Amino acid sequence: MGETTTGSGRTILIAVDESDETTYALSWCLRNFVTHSDTLLLLHAKPLPSSYTAMDGTGYAFSADITATMERYDIEVAGSLLAKAAKMCEDFGDEKQVKVETKVEGGDARDVICRVAEKLSPDVLVMGSHGYGLIKRTILGSVSRYCAQHVQCPVLIIKRPKSA
């Protein structure tokens, strides 16, 4: 096992972003998969500051002030997302005694998730599925599919029902 320390339970790496699909996947995982004494490692991938120039689209780079503001915003978003996810685990953890750790890494989500999974060797990686159709999946790619093909541990992809 990499950096994460566990007792006798499993280490479950859960990819966290701002989507409803992630919230559903975490909730489902807590209700149906997590057992007593598991360790949950909540991972959020935030964009690197160098990616802000690519978002401009006009060929002009953002000023240093704008880039710094965007970086602060990304840090606040990451903190808020992980706090919300950790609170969900804490509220649920009274029954199951789960240990929760959080981690923020910079970079493309698929690269970050695969890199952390390789480094920490979790027992399982849990991800929500955005359920993109063929066209969106072709254009945007599927992070969960990519990770399922590239990580060494089992991957549990949770798709939110249309009614949820």
Side-chain angles (χ1 to χ4, degrees):
M1 189 58 219
E3 293 176 358
T4 305
T5 57
T6 62
S8 58
R10 301 170 297 177
T11 298
I12 302 170
L13 178 61
I14 303 177
V16 177
D17 65 15
E18 68 282 354
S19 70
D20 291 338
E21 289 80 10
T22 290
T23 302
Y24 179 82
L26 177 57
S27 176
W28 186 93
C29 186
L30 289 167
R31 285 188 325 269
N32 300 294
F33 189 68
V34 172
T35 62
H36 165 328
S37 75
D38 283 341
T39 297
L40 303 182
L41 178 57
L42 306 175
L43 172 66
H44 176 68
K46 71 176 192 62
L48 292 174
S50 61
S51 66
Y52 299 143
T53 55
M55 294 181 347
D56 182 23
T58 63
Y60 296 102
F62 289 119
S63 73
D65 289 342
I66 291 173
T67 302
T69 299
M70 293 170 80
E71 174 69 9
R72 280 191 307 274
Y73 175 75
D74 284 342
I75 291 168
E76 288 175 15
V77 166
S80 176
L81 287 171
L82 290 174
K84 177 183 171 189
K87 176 79 169 117
M88 284 176 66
C89 296
E90 180 183 306
D91 290 346
F92 196 80
D94 292 339
E95 302 168 21
K96 295 196 177 185
Q97 304 170 7
V98 292
K99 180 179 176 189
V100 177
E101 299 176 15
T102 61
K103 189 170 192 65
V104 177
E105 294 271 335
D108 178 73
R110 59 188 94 219
D111 296 332
V112 167
I113 295 165
C114 290
R115 183 175 62 240
V116 170
E118 180 179 331
K119 182 178 178 183
L120 300 180
S121 300
D123 294 294
V124 65
L125 167 62
V126 175
M127 305 180 72
S129 171
H130 289 269
Y132 293 144
L134 178 62
I135 294 173
K136 272 191 178 179
R137 194 171 53 246
T138 301
I139 294 169
L140 299 175
S142 169
V143 173
S144 57
R145 175 181 273 174
Y146 180 89
C147 292
Q149 293 172 345
H150 290 88
V151 299
Q152 297 301 310
C153 66
V155 179
L156 177 59
I157 300 171
I158 301 170
K159 186 173 180 180
R160 185 174 77 145
K162 293 194 187 288
S163 61

